[in-house]
Amino acid sequence: MAEPFNAVDVIGHKRDGLRLTDAEIDWVIDAYTRGVVADEQMAALAMAIFLRDMERSEIARWTAAMIASGERMDFSGLSRPTADKHSTGGVGDKITLPLAPLVAVFGVAVPQLSGRGLGHTGGTLDKLESIPGWRAELTPEEMMRQLETVGAVVCQAGAGLAPADRKLYALRDVTATVESIPLIASSIMSKKIAEGTASLVLDVKCGSGAFMKDAATARALAEAMVGLGSDHGVRTVALLTEMDTPLGLTAGNALEVAESVEVLAGGGPGDVVALTIALAREMLDGAAWDAERRGDTGLAGRLREADPAAALNDGRAMDVWRAMISAQGGDPDAPLPQATATETITAETSGVVSRVDALQVGVAAWRLGAGRARKEDPVQAGAGVVLHAKPGDVVAVGAPLATLHTDEPDRFTGAKTALVGAWTIDDSAPTTATTAADAVVLDRIALD
Ligand code: URA
């Protein structure tokens, strides 16, 4: 059958700054998924979109076409309301680990379809795979059962969800077209909407360790994603959060699991706890909206009144964590893997730490073996960085700043090079303490 459009014309329209028509968008996404539009043509179109931008209605149609390229999951048959969270990625961002069980404590289904890390930000599945026995692949039936019984699931997204995005994201990665707001927003939201959650909380990170380095671009991305979610009937709220400084004191797979378990035991670093609670509060509100929509006003009221901090302190979140890990074959009591070699770096001057650069710490953890350069690379479970000094801490010459962990000591040199200048040490205290709990969440973006 003849194709209704020609890829060269569609590329030309966007190159010349025109709005693509709905029919052009539907066709180009479908034809690319079918292999009729070639990679080089889609790469040219992605670059034209990168340079020319898209209107809001154009992004909405592009997103809808990507959703339509694959399956959609449906959680409406569950007895629980659903709430999901997506983070745009950062260094030391282990928040999904304590957050998913914490929200499930209150009777919410939390379907966290996650990915593996690429580059300097870690992947949630890589972190959980450091727990002996834990497996990321679940069948849709296993996932549904676990959502109904335990409430929280963190697993690998099936290949059937938004296959157009899977192809396009890989292409953007190698054609310098990742950092485009319409392309990022449609990529993330097509997967989240296809996943079928009723409500969604976005953690849009901003700073050196994030995709979006400045607040204005992070806000524009957050607004685009909140708009897309709402247009598709998913109650969507975004928190703009700080990512100039790594989250918590660890970056690396097993190291981050250990820190998450501390948070679930009622301890852990203040910034990790604060962000976990802030996101839990938003997810509980989203789930309350879903419960109300399902006619369960009693549950909606209880979710709005729920106290997530109490559930971290009294062991309820830990109980769900243990059930969640066990349900996926993991042993929550097994010792976590530890790297075979460590090296500590120390302060060269005395004073007050005013900055620890998230990107540099992320690159160091990656070079130590915690992350991968190519999709098919393995990761080391025990590798990473443990921070001893964060903004606001007073250090003397020779005081430890961080301990580097790896199974391959020849990686230390590259990691230490990445960390040169990562700590800024001043004579006096910083004017803003970036680890203070109230400094983590910069803003909230919602349509209501
Ligand atoms: N994550 C995604 O899933 N897509 C993007 O485009 C960027 C980050």
Side-chain angles (χ1 to χ4, degrees), residues 86-88 165 169 172 177-180 183-189 191 211:
H86 178 82
S87 159
T88 56
D165 176 65
Y169 193 25
R172 287 166 53 215
T177 50
V178 170
E179 296 89 349
S180 148
L183 292 176
I184 298 177
S186 57
S187 165
I188 292 173
M189 293 305 290
K191 286 175 287 204
F211 253 125

Side-chain angles (χ1 to χ4, degrees), residues 268-309:
D271 55 349
V272 179
V273 175
L275 185 52
T276 303
I277 291 173
L279 289 166
R281 192 57 276 150
E282 295 292 348
M283 289 173 75
L284 291 166
D285 285 347
W289 173 88
D290 187 27
E292 207 147 64
R293 207 178 52 141
R294 293 156 158 256
D296 195 342
T297 48
L299 177 59
R302 289 194 298 281
L303 291 170
R304 290 204 174 93
E305 298 292 307
D307 179 358

Side-chain angles (χ1 to χ4, degrees), residues 72-75 81-85 109-111 191-201 232-236 283 289-290 293:
R72 274 187 91 152
M73 297 189 68
D74 181 8
F75 299 124
T82 48
D84 193 2
K85 185 248 351 177
V110 186
K191 286 175 287 204
K192 285 289 148 184
I193 295 165
E195 264 174 43
T197 184
S199 68
L200 174 65
V201 178
H232 283 89
V234 179
R235 183 191 182 274
T236 309
M283 289 173 75
W289 173 88
D290 187 27
R293 207 178 52 141

